[in-house]
């Protein structure tokens, strides 16, 4: 019997589009306003991490900065998001990453449902700007989960909402925390990026242009055939 996926869950940043630069610039502006040095190397640690956890990591860069109340942290996070929202105004369908429109089209022609699993509360707005909303059967963003990646809740929430067994799902991620979340959910993980950070993925490609729908499904079948 051929084993087919019933749900494919896509991350947003780094998979469908690359808003990482906008996040970096927004965090950098906030950090500089606090007198903190924030560079691209440190920004890599924030991939796949939700906004409040990212803020905590940034504030921990300088132990002399003092403690912030939860209310003050919320204001800072909101300020960062305001910077980010201004930057993403320029997003259009031209910002869809290479190969992903064809991948989504191939997915849409099958019986496999399509969901978004993103750490961003802005995910629905970004999907709209990309012109991709119509592809998705369900959207999980940070507002729908209590625990961010690497906790599996982002992925299990999508499967639960659509009534699909976790073993029948594929999660596509570009962040180490995201791949870990997919694995912890008991789903088939597809990583997009370098092996150093994503060696724990069930299947790995270097960039989105190398993602081919039939090959991903073939890899999924092979793994499930061995279970």
């Amino acid at each position: 019997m051929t084993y087919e996926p019933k749900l494919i869950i896509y991350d947003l940043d780094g998979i469908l589009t690359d808003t990482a630069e906008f996040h970096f610039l927004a965090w950098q502006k906030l950090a500089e306003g606090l007198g903190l040095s924030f560079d691209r190397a440190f920004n890599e640690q924030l991939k796949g991490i939700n906004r409040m956890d990212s803020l905590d990591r940034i504030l921990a860069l300088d132990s002399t900065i003092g403690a912030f109340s939860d209310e003050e942290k919320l204001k800072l996070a909101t300020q960062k998001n305001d910077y980010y929202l201004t930057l993403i105004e320029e997003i259009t369908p031209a910002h869809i990453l290479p190969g992903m429109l064809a991948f989504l089209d191939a997915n849409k022609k099958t019986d496999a449902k399509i969901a978004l699993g993103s750490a961003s509360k802005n995910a629905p707005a970004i999907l709209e700007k990309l012109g991709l909303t119509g592809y998705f059967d369900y959207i999980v963003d940070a507002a729908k989960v209590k625990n961010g990646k690497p906790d599996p809740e982002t992925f299990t929430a999508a499967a639960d909402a659509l009534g699909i067994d976790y073993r029948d799902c594929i999660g596509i991620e570009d962040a180490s925390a995201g791949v870990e979340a997919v694995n912890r959910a008991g789903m088939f993980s597809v990583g997009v990026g370098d092996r150093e950070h994503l060696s724990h993925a069930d299947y790995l490609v270097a960039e989105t242009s190398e993602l081919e729908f039939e090959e991903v499904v073939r890899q999924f079948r092979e793994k499930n055939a061995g279970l």
Side-chain angles (χ1 to χ4, degrees), residues 99-117:
M100 292 313 298
L101 195 56
F103 195 95
L104 282 166
D105 283 335
N107 190 165
K108 199 72 173 172
K109 290 174 183 174
T110 72
D111 292 330
K113 298 285 188 183
I114 301 175
L116 187 78

PDB file of all heavy atoms in Angstrom, residues 99-117:
ATOM      1  N   GLY A  99      10.533  28.584  -6.322  1.00  0.00           N
ATOM      2  CA  GLY A  99      10.029  27.210  -6.319  1.00  0.00           C
ATOM      3  C   GLY A  99       8.806  26.962  -5.470  1.00  0.00           C
ATOM      4  O   GLY A  99       8.126  25.940  -5.625  1.00  0.00           O
ATOM      5  N   MET A 100       8.456  27.903  -4.575  1.00  0.00           N
ATOM      6  CA  MET A 100       7.393  27.619  -3.622  1.00  0.00           C
ATOM      7  C   MET A 100       5.991  27.724  -4.220  1.00  0.00           C
ATOM      8  O   MET A 100       5.077  27.023  -3.783  1.00  0.00           O
ATOM      9  CB  MET A 100       7.511  28.523  -2.391  1.00  0.00           C
ATOM     10  CG  MET A 100       8.738  28.214  -1.537  1.00  0.00           C
ATOM     11  SD  MET A 100       8.976  26.431  -1.198  1.00  0.00           S
ATOM     12  CE  MET A 100       7.495  26.017  -0.278  1.00  0.00           C
ATOM     13  N   LEU A 101       5.812  28.570  -5.211  1.00  0.00           N
ATOM     14  CA  LEU A 101       4.502  28.653  -5.847  1.00  0.00           C
ATOM     15  C   LEU A 101       4.195  27.355  -6.587  1.00  0.00           C
ATOM     16  O   LEU A 101       3.086  26.814  -6.487  1.00  0.00           O
ATOM     17  CB  LEU A 101       4.442  29.845  -6.803  1.00  0.00           C
ATOM     18  CG  LEU A 101       3.045  30.271  -7.269  1.00  0.00           C
ATOM     19  CD1 LEU A 101       2.140  30.572  -6.085  1.00  0.00           C
ATOM     20  CD2 LEU A 101       3.138  31.480  -8.196  1.00  0.00           C
ATOM     21  N   ALA A 102       5.185  26.828  -7.292  1.00  0.00           N
ATOM     22  CA  ALA A 102       5.020  25.551  -8.005  1.00  0.00           C
ATOM     23  C   ALA A 102       4.779  24.419  -6.998  1.00  0.00           C
ATOM     24  O   ALA A 102       3.974  23.511  -7.253  1.00  0.00           O
ATOM     25  CB  ALA A 102       6.257  25.250  -8.852  1.00  0.00           C
ATOM     26  N   PHE A 103       5.461  24.463  -5.864  1.00  0.00           N
ATOM     27  CA  PHE A 103       5.303  23.438  -4.832  1.00  0.00           C
ATOM     28  C   PHE A 103       3.877  23.473  -4.279  1.00  0.00           C
ATOM     29  O   PHE A 103       3.221  22.432  -4.128  1.00  0.00           O
ATOM     30  CB  PHE A 103       6.324  23.664  -3.716  1.00  0.00           C
ATOM     31  CG  PHE A 103       6.488  22.492  -2.796  1.00  0.00           C
ATOM     32  CD1 PHE A 103       7.506  21.559  -2.997  1.00  0.00           C
ATOM     33  CD2 PHE A 103       5.640  22.311  -1.714  1.00  0.00           C
ATOM     34  CE1 PHE A 103       7.663  20.471  -2.141  1.00  0.00           C
ATOM     35  CE2 PHE A 103       5.783  21.232  -0.856  1.00  0.00           C
ATOM     36  CZ  PHE A 103       6.798  20.304  -1.074  1.00  0.00           C
ATOM     37  N   LEU A 104       3.381  24.673  -3.990  1.00  0.00           N
ATOM     38  CA  LEU A 104       2.018  24.822  -3.477  1.00  0.00           C
ATOM     39  C   LEU A 104       0.989  24.370  -4.519  1.00  0.00           C
ATOM     40  O   LEU A 104      -0.015  23.728  -4.174  1.00  0.00           O
ATOM     41  CB  LEU A 104       1.757  26.271  -3.081  1.00  0.00           C
ATOM     42  CG  LEU A 104       2.345  26.731  -1.743  1.00  0.00           C
ATOM     43  CD1 LEU A 104       2.311  28.255  -1.646  1.00  0.00           C
ATOM     44  CD2 LEU A 104       1.584  26.113  -0.574  1.00  0.00           C
ATOM     45  N   ASP A 105       1.231  24.701  -5.775  1.00  0.00           N
ATOM     46  CA  ASP A 105       0.329  24.283  -6.852  1.00  0.00           C
ATOM     47  C   ASP A 105       0.252  22.759  -6.928  1.00  0.00           C
ATOM     48  O   ASP A 105      -0.829  22.182  -7.083  1.00  0.00           O
ATOM     49  CB  ASP A 105       0.789  24.844  -8.201  1.00  0.00           C
ATOM     50  CG  ASP A 105       0.439  26.323  -8.370  1.00  0.00           C
ATOM     51  OD1 ASP A 105      -0.521  26.787  -7.718  1.00  0.00           O
ATOM     52  OD2 ASP A 105       1.132  27.009  -9.151  1.00  0.00           O
ATOM     53  N   ALA A 106       1.416  22.102  -6.810  1.00  0.00           N
ATOM     54  CA  ALA A 106       1.456  20.634  -6.841  1.00  0.00           C
ATOM     55  C   ALA A 106       0.726  20.050  -5.633  1.00  0.00           C
ATOM     56  O   ALA A 106      -0.009  19.065  -5.747  1.00  0.00           O
ATOM     57  CB  ALA A 106       2.908  20.150  -6.874  1.00  0.00           C
ATOM     58  N   ASN A 107       0.911  20.671  -4.472  1.00  0.00           N
ATOM     59  CA  ASN A 107       0.237  20.240  -3.241  1.00  0.00           C
ATOM     60  C   ASN A 107      -1.285  20.356  -3.413  1.00  0.00           C
ATOM     61  O   ASN A 107      -2.050  19.460  -3.045  1.00  0.00           O
ATOM     62  CB  ASN A 107       0.720  21.101  -2.081  1.00  0.00           C
ATOM     63  CG  ASN A 107       0.292  20.611  -0.700  1.00  0.00           C
ATOM     64  OD1 ASN A 107       0.829  21.043   0.305  1.00  0.00           O
ATOM     65  ND2 ASN A 107      -0.683  19.730  -0.630  1.00  0.00           N
ATOM     66  N   LYS A 108      -1.719  21.461  -4.018  1.00  0.00           N
ATOM     67  CA  LYS A 108      -3.153  21.744  -4.178  1.00  0.00           C
ATOM     68  C   LYS A 108      -3.836  20.717  -5.077  1.00  0.00           C
ATOM     69  O   LYS A 108      -5.039  20.467  -4.939  1.00  0.00           O
ATOM     70  CB  LYS A 108      -3.322  23.146  -4.765  1.00  0.00           C
ATOM     71  CG  LYS A 108      -4.699  23.751  -4.559  1.00  0.00           C
ATOM     72  CD  LYS A 108      -4.918  24.149  -3.116  1.00  0.00           C
ATOM     73  CE  LYS A 108      -6.222  24.912  -2.943  1.00  0.00           C
ATOM     74  NZ  LYS A 108      -6.532  25.149  -1.523  1.00  0.00           N
ATOM     75  N   LYS A 109      -3.082  20.101  -5.961  1.00  0.00           N
ATOM     76  CA  LYS A 109      -3.651  19.116  -6.891  1.00  0.00           C
ATOM     77  C   LYS A 109      -3.825  17.739  -6.249  1.00  0.00           C
ATOM     78  O   LYS A 109      -4.368  16.833  -6.865  1.00  0.00           O
ATOM     79  CB  LYS A 109      -2.761  19.003  -8.132  1.00  0.00           C
ATOM     80  CG  LYS A 109      -2.810  20.242  -9.016  1.00  0.00           C
ATOM     81  CD  LYS A 109      -1.798  20.140 -10.147  1.00  0.00           C
ATOM     82  CE  LYS A 109      -1.794  21.413 -10.978  1.00  0.00           C
ATOM     83  NZ  LYS A 109      -0.707  21.402 -11.998  1.00  0.00           N
ATOM     84  N   THR A 110      -3.346  17.580  -5.025  1.00  0.00           N
ATOM     85  CA  THR A 110      -3.468  16.301  -4.314  1.00  0.00           C
ATOM     86  C   THR A 110      -4.557  16.404  -3.247  1.00  0.00           C
ATOM     87  O   THR A 110      -5.170  17.456  -3.058  1.00  0.00           O
ATOM     88  CB  THR A 110      -2.140  15.906  -3.645  1.00  0.00           C
ATOM     89  OG1 THR A 110      -1.905  16.770  -2.523  1.00  0.00           O
ATOM     90  CG2 THR A 110      -0.977  15.998  -4.629  1.00  0.00           C
ATOM     91  N   ASP A 111      -4.752  15.307  -2.525  1.00  0.00           N
ATOM     92  CA  ASP A 111      -5.733  15.309  -1.432  1.00  0.00           C
ATOM     93  C   ASP A 111      -5.144  15.832  -0.129  1.00  0.00           C
ATOM     94  O   ASP A 111      -5.868  15.946   0.877  1.00  0.00           O
ATOM     95  CB  ASP A 111      -6.270  13.888  -1.209  1.00  0.00           C
ATOM     96  CG  ASP A 111      -7.117  13.397  -2.381  1.00  0.00           C
ATOM     97  OD1 ASP A 111      -7.757  14.242  -3.042  1.00  0.00           O
ATOM     98  OD2 ASP A 111      -7.119  12.181  -2.643  1.00  0.00           O
ATOM     99  N   ALA A 112      -3.846  16.131  -0.120  1.00  0.00           N
ATOM    100  CA  ALA A 112      -3.192  16.601   1.104  1.00  0.00           C
ATOM    101  C   ALA A 112      -3.612  18.037   1.418  1.00  0.00           C
ATOM    102  O   ALA A 112      -3.487  18.929   0.579  1.00  0.00           O
ATOM    103  CB  ALA A 112      -1.682  16.520   0.969  1.00  0.00           C
ATOM    104  N   LYS A 113      -4.118  18.252   2.630  1.00  0.00           N
ATOM    105  CA  LYS A 113      -4.491  19.589   3.072  1.00  0.00           C
ATOM    106  C   LYS A 113      -3.240  20.459   3.227  1.00  0.00           C
ATOM    107  O   LYS A 113      -2.113  19.957   3.320  1.00  0.00           O
ATOM    108  CB  LYS A 113      -5.230  19.519   4.412  1.00  0.00           C
ATOM    109  CG  LYS A 113      -6.535  18.754   4.375  1.00  0.00           C
ATOM    110  CD  LYS A 113      -7.616  19.568   3.700  1.00  0.00           C
ATOM    111  CE  LYS A 113      -8.979  18.897   3.835  1.00  0.00           C
ATOM    112  NZ  LYS A 113     -10.028  19.645   3.130  1.00  0.00           N
ATOM    113  N   ILE A 114      -3.457  21.765   3.279  1.00  0.00           N
ATOM    114  CA  ILE A 114      -2.357  22.723   3.371  1.00  0.00           C
ATOM    115  C   ILE A 114      -2.582  23.625   4.585  1.00  0.00           C
ATOM    116  O   ILE A 114      -3.644  24.237   4.732  1.00  0.00           O
ATOM    117  CB  ILE A 114      -2.262  23.586   2.094  1.00  0.00           C
ATOM    118  CG1 ILE A 114      -2.047  22.689   0.863  1.00  0.00           C
ATOM    119  CG2 ILE A 114      -1.148  24.619   2.214  1.00  0.00           C
ATOM    120  CD1 ILE A 114      -2.055  23.448  -0.460  1.00  0.00           C
ATOM    121  N   ALA A 115      -1.578  23.712   5.458  1.00  0.00           N
ATOM    122  CA  ALA A 115      -1.677  24.573   6.637  1.00  0.00           C
ATOM    123  C   ALA A 115      -0.414  25.400   6.789  1.00  0.00           C
ATOM    124  O   ALA A 115       0.649  25.052   6.265  1.00  0.00           O
ATOM    125  CB  ALA A 115      -1.914  23.748   7.896  1.00  0.00           C
ATOM    126  N   LEU A 116      -0.533  26.502   7.509  1.00  0.00           N
ATOM    127  CA  LEU A 116       0.616  27.351   7.828  1.00  0.00           C
ATOM    128  C   LEU A 116       0.913  27.200   9.312  1.00  0.00           C
ATOM    129  O   LEU A 116      -0.003  27.224  10.138  1.00  0.00           O
ATOM    130  CB  LEU A 116       0.310  28.813   7.514  1.00  0.00           C
ATOM    131  CG  LEU A 116       1.505  29.767   7.644  1.00  0.00           C
ATOM    132  CD1 LEU A 116       2.394  29.634   6.408  1.00  0.00           C
ATOM    133  CD2 LEU A 116       1.062  31.207   7.810  1.00  0.00           C
ATOM    134  N   GLY A 117       2.183  27.027   9.657  1.00  0.00           N
ATOM    135  CA  GLY A 117       2.592  26.945  11.057  1.00  0.00           C
ATOM    136  C   GLY A 117       3.674  27.974  11.315  1.00  0.00           C
ATOM    137  O   GLY A 117       4.847  27.711  11.093  1.00  0.00           O
TER     138      GLY A 117
END
